[in-house]
Amino acid sequence: ATGEDAPDSVSVTMPALSSTMTSGTIVSWLKGVGDKVEAGDPVMVVESDKADMEVESFDEGYVASILVDEGSEADVGAVVALLAPTEAEISAVAAY
């Protein structure tokens, strides 16, 4: 280990879809690894305590890794995926 910093990446986190929501289940991913994501693109469908909702990306980039699989639950604020800033950086981010 060389003690390198993590490559530039953007974390996609589980949002709070309601004031009472503490965790959510990812029903489906709408983007896969390698896909380009623009700010505002729906990236996943999340089941909250109230309803299933599409969740949009706040950032643009390329999906480098999905950390929480479909059907799995994540706490609000947990990192569920990572975006790489460029297509060339996907493998570096995914390997981190």
Side-chain angles (χ1 to χ4, degrees):
T2 58
E4 291 177 31
D5 288 333
D8 282 345
S9 64
V10 175
S11 298
V12 178
T13 58
M14 178 63 71
L17 301 176
S18 71
S19 59
T20 57
M21 182 175 159
T22 57
S23 66
T25 300
I26 295 174
V27 177
S28 63
W29 282 100
L30 304 175
K31 298 283 185 180
V33 171
D35 288 352
K36 173 102 172 92
V37 177
E38 301 284 348
D41 281 356
V43 289
M44 61 182 167
V45 177
V46 172
E47 178 186 335
S48 73
D49 51 352
K50 307 260 190 283
D52 291 2
M53 295 180 64
E54 284 188 354
V55 175
E56 297 177 352
S57 177
F58 293 110
D59 301 283
E60 67 176 57
Y62 293 84
V63 178
S65 62
I66 290 175
L67 307 176
V68 178
D69 295 328
E70 291 180 357
S72 298
E73 193 172 324
D75 291 336
V76 167
V79 177
V80 296
L82 294 173
L83 300 182
T86 67
E87 208 166 359
E89 293 171 281
I90 291 171
S91 59
V93 173
Y96 186 73

